[in-house]
Amino acid sequence: MRAMVKLFSSSWFAWFLLSALVSVNVGVEARVRHYKWEVKYEFHSPDCFEKLVIAINGQSPGPSIVAEQGDTIVVELTNRLLTENIAIHWHGIRQIGTPWSDGTEGVTQCPILPAQTHVYKFVVDRPGTYLYHAHYGMQREAGLYGSIRVSLPKGAKEPFAYDGEHSLLLADWWHRSTYEQSTGLSSKPFRWVGEPQSLLIQGRGSYNCSLVSGLNAAGTGSVCNATNPQCSPHFMTVVPGKTYRIRIASVTSLSALNFQIEGHNMTIVEADGHYVEPVVVQNLNIYSGETYSVLVKADRDPSRNYWAAVNVRARKPETPTGVAIFNYYPNHPKRRPPTIPPAGPVWNDTSYAIAQSQSIKARAGFIHTPPSQSDRVITLLNTQNLIDGFRRWSLNNVSFTLPHTPYLIAIHQNLTHAFNQTPAPDSYRAKEYDIFRPPPNPNATQSDSIYRLRFNSTVDIILQNANTLNPNNSETHPWHLHGHDFWVLGYGIGVFDPVNDPKKYNLVNPIMKNSAAVFPYGWTALRFKADNPGAWAFHCHIEAHFYMGMGVVFESGVDRLGKLPDSIMGCGES
Amino acid sequence: MRAMVKLFSSSWFAWFLLSALVSVNVGVEARVRHYKWEVKYEFHSPDCFEKLVIAINGQSPGPSIVAEQGDTIVVELTNRLLTENIAIHWHGIRQIGTPWSDGTEGVTQCPILPAQTHVYKFVVDRPGTYLYHAHYGMQREAGLYGSIRVSLPKGAKEPFAYDGEHSLLLADWWHRSTYEQSTGLSSKPFRWVGEPQSLLIQGRGSYNCSLVSGLNAAGTGSVCNATNPQCSPHFMTVVPGKTYRIRIASVTSLSALNFQIEGHNMTIVEADGHYVEPVVVQNLNIYSGETYSVLVKADRDPSRNYWAAVNVRARKPETPTGVAIFNYYPNHPKRRPPTIPPAGPVWNDTSYAIAQSQSIKARAGFIHTPPSQSDRVITLLNTQNLIDGFRRWSLNNVSFTLPHTPYLIAIHQNLTHAFNQTPAPDSYRAKEYDIFRPPPNPNATQSDSIYRLRFNSTVDIILQNANTLNPNNSETHPWHLHGHDFWVLGYGIGVFDPVNDPKKYNLVNPIMKNSAAVFPYGWTALRFKADNPGAWAFHCHIEAHFYMGMGVVFESGVDRLGKLPDSIMGCGES
């Protein structure tokens, strides 16, 4: 990013030409793309407030992985943190045949120790927009994430046309360290992480420095500097009249977001690596872990720039709008639009949220028809609970904890003492539970028990939302499945009806995704085929919620795997 | 500590009686003392400013290890940090026969992973006052430390009399996290850790909360509360006319300290676990890693309390005096003395510092006479350097870096590729180097090369101080040797003269220690016998200095060791 800024300051036009050039597909055959990353702490000021971030090769967001379908990605990652381990998940990459490269600490690998170099190797088998991010403790929140863009191979054509493209990685940002956040979550009394201080677009936000006292805690310097170039807004330069593909990915730790470009319609054409039937929207809801491509035509008054804006949804916003500049060439890309950034739709308009999610269907010609029946239905009621006075999240009254030995290893080596062998529960007592009230008995149990799925079977997941511990409160949870895509069969409000609701499933053209939300007091029905041997996490993508137990693990076909690589070993039982 | 405060608030007199009872030696045979520790982050306010500390069983300082000579200590330590590893060093315990329990990450063990339980097992073979603390990254500064007190076995008598005892652990304290500190040290431009915000006595200090803005960075609450009971001063209750042994240990990360009890003389009787010829002082210089016992008679006006005070020495102080209350029974132990806490001697009076160190000799009847000759002399010139623009410390132009494979393992398993096999240099070009000026060429090399010592040979170490990178500046460095005690043969100012200075060595009654200072522009001569098979760190005990390369490693007799325990393995080469 710094390099870019530097380049720009000498000649932003040169940069603009260069970026236009890069966006043209240069055809090469499937190949190995080798990345060498050093991960360490650095002082950055992404929203003008100086804070430690976990940077990759000096950058947060880290370097983008840009590849073509069929390429093999090799990331040689060296942990240069002093005392802290790492694991990185390649979000949306199914890791077919390489379940050990999924990067999920405790599920598919042991953490990477300081000074250790770990090699992730996997094939990007499908074009689309993806993410990578830390999957260990709450390191994602420290800025350890980046973008993956996979384009079509030479000669192949997208089912839509555009003249150039831009990528936007969206994040939320706190000034407290992840250590403080996670310690607060596991303290008595419970300390919630709170709403983020800033929203970042491509790693850039803008905190109001007047809210911070002049000196940092140590009294050694100013911690907030509104003129720091690191926090000048990101800009996307467009030529009037041209159409752009904007790849938008959300790696937020907490916030559901709404994205818009002031005064411009957007046409949604891709979601989570799948083409969708074009939908024109004025703004886009995007939940943590989701990715979209939208087409935007630069068809407005070209004499000025426009705001690209993100606003918090689904939680009462306490965070200012995050902005980037939609820059009409030849206006100066740092020229601020003359308007106030748009505020987005009302944060708690759930009907609007559901309607937009429901409107997204697989694109004709690219439909993967789901199996008409499932072999097993797993209903997951999520509740907020108290365990020994600690606040936790549970599924069917079980709050998930990661074991010390990664499941993939434990199952493959038959280490039956490494985790609880009792199957996790497939359902809850729906008739006895009132999802509209706080849990009558908030006690739950903690367990590292999992779901073992018959290989190649078809599984339905019903995410059933409920009231939290606070009266009249139910939250939106973005769920993410590792190793597979699922079909989104339907959304509803209230208690899922196992007799009637399945009759309304969309089995014709459901979108396939790896991440989908369950809405307040609602349910979301998903279907997937357990056809990828491995152990795979399925969890709420809110980092604090997964830390508090809101996740499960699916195993299938591990017995079909050959020898596991030594590189994922080194912790827990053996 | 909380339990104590609670007890006190119900009846401090009950607590006083209890503590008097505990201080009586209850004779039992040598036995195994089992400790079960859980290490995790907690929010504490040791100096009224709320900050994350690494606590053991909820405490920082951690629980005291109290044992009798000959006891076996078993510490079953579970790492409950989320993403961070741990190692704990038992400072002053020589680990005879158990070199793998020394707890030095990179030297004697791999770090202990999150969720892992590691068992340290060792014998406390000698009575005295010791310490334990983290020996990994800069975790010591986060509060991961505690006291070890080893008393004489049943029936045996100290060579001095006292009526009761108190323990004081001294520390310095920063409000920035250790991550920020260590990242700053390895940044360009270099960011020094700065002087500490507070000095802590038994984990309690008092920051001036008016210097802190009302809200923490996240705006969620007050970070400094002067009335927090966690930061009320520690007190030592004494009965008028009685004599007390006060065990004083310094675990500071940076500061050399001076300790005194307002208006009371102190008689030094023990240093680093060795009896010393009694020396009466008004105040005691104590360098990081040192321990002392002093006798104090409560012989002053009993109608009031007195300050016990610590002040910074050897660096220009920017930290307020740290205080505890020397409480004359039956005055209320929280009653503040009517006086201003004493300021201590002038911080840069080096002659005073050297004179006090030189005055401490082995106690008659307890003298271990050193060998009259050494087999090898290693002179270590310490210089401040720049390597690739990073500021580092070097010994004989080599800046020390820890390898990924602990030396003990690498040497024992003959993994010659695990570290640089070139021997580290035994000396520097004394005739060409001007210790009174900044290094003419500040470049140095980084290496993990070590010193391999013939088993049972006698080795002299000459610590030679020099000017830092700044003109007219030379610092005091407290050096600590693992696995052995050394004889302190002499101190001097200027360049060590290998012909004439050894003639002035004290070979009659030198004190044995594990930690000793080298003074500005001075030298310190140490002798030890390499009679403990293992790999042992010898380093400046200033945490930032060791991190910046100011240390070496000695190996001897590793070939005499049997199988190493599996528990120290799991990182680096194998």
Side-chain angles (χ1 to χ4, degrees), chain B residues 264-483:
Chain B
H264 292 71
N265 283 338
M266 305 185 286
T267 306
I268 307 173
V269 292
E270 181 216 345
D272 291 8
H274 291 274
Y275 296 128
V276 308
E277 201 54 33
V279 186
V280 177
V281 295
Q282 287 180 299
N283 57 68
L284 173 75
N285 296 322
I286 180 165
Y287 303 95
S288 180
E290 287 190 324
T291 65
Y292 288 97
S293 285
V294 297
L295 300 181
V296 180
K297 191 170 184 190
D299 57 4
R300 305 286 303 216
D301 172 5
S303 71
R304 53 164 284 198
N305 291 335
Y306 295 83
W307 292 114
V310 286
N311 286 286
V312 169
R313 277 196 68 76
R315 304 180 64 87
K316 191 165 187 307
E318 294 176 18
T319 312
T321 302
V323 296
I325 293 175
F326 196 66
N327 163 231
Y328 273 62
Y329 180 79
N331 294 295
H332 193 284
K334 290 199 173 176
R335 194 167 132 204
R336 294 174 80 84
T339 46
I340 292 169
V346 182
W347 68 272
N348 57 357
D349 185 348
T350 303
S351 323
Y352 176 69
I354 297 182
Q356 188 175 89
S357 289
Q358 275 175 329
S359 72
I360 300 172
K361 315 284 187 195
R363 187 176 184 114
F366 296 88
I367 297 170
H368 300 272
T369 308
S372 59
Q373 298 287 334
S374 71
D375 301 305
R376 180 173 175 184
V377 178
I378 298 173
T379 305
L380 298 174
L381 170 76
N382 70 254
T383 54
Q384 214 178 31
N385 300 83
L386 287 172
I387 301 181
D388 300 333
F390 292 102
R391 195 176 297 191
R392 301 281 300 173
W393 286 95
S394 303
L395 286 317
N396 299 341
N397 228 36
V398 177
S399 186
F400 180 71
T401 56
L402 282 166
H404 313 166
T405 312
Y407 290 108
L408 183 62
I409 300 168
I411 297 166
H412 191 265
Q413 325 286 65
N414 205 25
L415 307 172
T416 53
H417 49 300
F419 66 93
N420 187 341
Q421 300 292 305
T422 310
D426 270 23
S427 60
Y428 72 105
R429 292 171 185 250
K431 285 185 182 153
E432 295 167 22
Y433 196 90
D434 184 351
I435 68 154
F436 295 100
R437 289 175 193 277
N441 171 8
N443 282 328
T445 54
Q446 290 193 113
S447 179
D448 54 12
S449 62
I450 65 167
Y451 297 89
R452 305 190 68 157
L453 308 179
R454 186 165 56 75
F455 186 68
N456 262 333
S457 63
T458 299
V459 180
D460 280 5
I461 304 292
I462 313 300
L463 294 169
Q464 176 66 61
N465 215 334
N467 203 101
T468 65
L469 286 169
N470 304 320
N472 303 314
N473 181 246
S474 181
E475 300 184 356
T476 299
H477 301 284
W479 280 74
H480 170 61
L481 178 59
H482 292 224

Side-chain angles (χ1 to χ4, degrees), chain A residues 159-174:
Chain A
F160 42 82
Y162 50 96
D163 302 301
E165 79 174 61
H166 291 287
S167 280
L168 299 179
L169 187 62
L170 311 181
D172 41 10
W173 193 248
W174 284 258

Side-chain angles (χ1 to χ4, degrees), chain A residues 41 43 50 52 82-85 113-115 136-137 176 179-180 182-184 191 197 213 216 218 404 547 571, chain B residues 41 43 50 52 82-85 113-115 136-137 176 179-180 182-184 191 197 213 216 218 404 547 571:
Chain A
Y41 276 111
F43 288 104
E50 187 185 77
L52 282 187
L82 188 55
T83 54
E84 201 177 334
N85 311 309
L113 268 62
Y136 185 45
R176 294 204 133 199
Y179 302 96
E180 292 173 292
S182 58
T183 303
R191 295 189 187 194
Q197 273 67 63
S213 77
N216 57 27
H404 314 166
Y547 176 68
C571 61
Chain B
Y41 277 110
F43 289 104
E50 187 186 77
L52 281 187
L82 188 55
T83 55
E84 202 178 333
N85 312 309
L113 267 62
Y136 185 44
R176 294 205 135 202
Y179 302 95
E180 291 173 293
S182 58
T183 303
R191 296 188 187 194
Q197 273 67 62
S213 77
N216 57 26
H404 313 166
Y547 176 67
C571 60

Side-chain angles (χ1 to χ4, degrees), chain B residues 501-529:
Chain B
D501 284 329
K503 295 175 187 162
K504 293 175 263 174
Y505 283 169
N506 175 7
L507 298 173
V508 178
N509 62 349
I511 174 74
M512 294 197 85
K513 294 182 98 269
N514 59 63
S515 300
V518 60
F519 296 98
Y521 299 113
W523 56 263
T524 298
L526 312 172
R527 179 168 291 176
F528 73 100
K529 228 170 136 66

Side-chain angles (χ1 to χ4, degrees), chain B residues 61 64 129-131 145-149 165-171 200-204 233-237 245-251 257 259-261 266 284 286 290-294 296 307-310 322-326:
Chain B
S64 295
T129 308
Y130 309 100
L131 289 168
Y145 44 65
S147 299
I148 302 175
R149 296 196 300 274
E165 79 175 60
H166 291 286
S167 281
L168 299 180
L169 187 63
L170 311 181
L200 308 184
I201 301 181
Q202 282 295 95
R204 289 158 176 274
H234 178 72
F235 57 83
M236 300 170 272
T237 300
R245 177 182 191 166
I246 304 183
R247 297 177 184 264
I248 307 160
S250 174
V251 72
L257 298 176
F259 173 81
Q260 64 180 296
I261 299 173
M266 305 185 286
L284 173 75
I286 180 165
E290 287 190 324
T291 65
Y292 288 97
S293 285
V294 297
V296 180
W307 292 114
V310 286
V323 296
I325 293 175
F326 196 66

Side-chain angles (χ1 to χ4, degrees), chain A residues 108-120:
Chain A
T108 64
Q109 70 166 99
C110 291
I112 305 164
L113 268 62
Q116 193 184 333
T117 297
H118 183 89
V119 177
Y120 288 104

